[in-house]
Amino acid sequence: MIRPFTPEDTNAIIRIAVATNMFAEEDTGILRDMLSNHPTDDSDSSKIIILEEEGQVIGVAYYEPAPATDRAWYLTMIAVHPEKQAQGRGTLLMQHVEDALIAAGQRMLLVNTSGTPDYDRTRAFYLRCGYAQVAHIPDYWSAGDDLVVFCKVLRAN
């Protein structure tokens, strides 16, 4: 079941972020802050959706409007617990995000990720989901860790 985020999901999301090596345990403060500041209304600000199975949070997607753009959004985070990966759940989350943005009249979804070998599977996932790699900036995150940007146009106008 995909459902909206509630503050009670925070610890489960952090566990998933650590299990997927998205964040080191000692670096989860920024994620906790993002989650604690997330609006609970249905505004046009950031959105967080939860993938839940048998009462357990097993996946999350976080997306937000790109500032100063015409209906462009960023996928800030998508993660599925490692024990539940490679079974279509990430694709399900991605499709839900895209469908919600299309229904809301949004135009584009961008994804920033790492260029390190640890993210090879992640980059392949975005390509399988129909995203085009549109930028590669060397040493962006840190020396030896490039920024790779993917994009999908959701609607032409």
Side-chain angles (χ1 to χ4, degrees):
M1 165 177 73
I2 294 179
R3 62 170 176 77
F5 163 82
T6 66
E8 292 77 27
D9 298 319
T10 299
N11 289 334
I13 293 170
I14 289 172
R15 282 192 298 277
I16 291 169
V18 170
T20 57
N21 295 316
M22 189 175 289
F23 285 88
E25 184 75 46
E26 61 271 11
D27 296 331
T28 59
I30 188 169
L31 178 56
R32 189 173 294 281
D33 289 345
M34 281 174 41
L35 297 171
S36 68
N37 292 322
H38 185 266
T40 55
D41 61 9
D42 196 29
S43 65
D44 286 336
S45 63
S46 63
K47 311 281 186 197
I48 303 173
I49 57 170
I50 299 298
L51 177 59
E52 183 178 88
E53 290 181 2
E54 298 176 1
Q56 299 295 312
V57 175
I58 63 161
V60 59
Y62 185 113
Y63 54 110
E64 59 193 336
T69 66
D70 174 26
R71 298 170 289 135
W73 285 65
Y74 279 111
L75 180 72
T76 304
M77 175 182 176
I78 187 168
V80 173
H81 193 281
E83 294 175 0
K84 303 291 185 175
Q85 290 179 0
Q87 299 170 32
R89 291 173 176 95
T91 302
L92 180 68
L93 280 168
M94 185 65 85
Q95 189 62 57
H96 188 90
V97 168
E98 292 173 8
D99 289 347
L101 290 173
I102 290 167
Q106 303 308 311
R107 189 175 58 84
M108 177 182 296
L109 185 59
L110 298 158
V111 183
N112 293 341
T113 193
S114 170
T116 64
D118 290 344
Y119 283 80
D120 285 349
R121 286 184 58 215
T122 302
R123 292 187 305 275
F125 168 75
Y126 295 127
L127 291 170
R128 280 193 314 276
C129 288
Y131 287 72
Q133 181 180 322
V134 295
H136 185 147
I137 303 171
D139 302 318
Y140 177 84
W141 303 108
S142 63
D145 189 356
D146 302 349
L147 167 66
V148 181
V149 181
F150 290 89
C151 176
K152 188 174 199 180
V153 174
L154 304 172
R155 53 185 289 143
N157 54 10

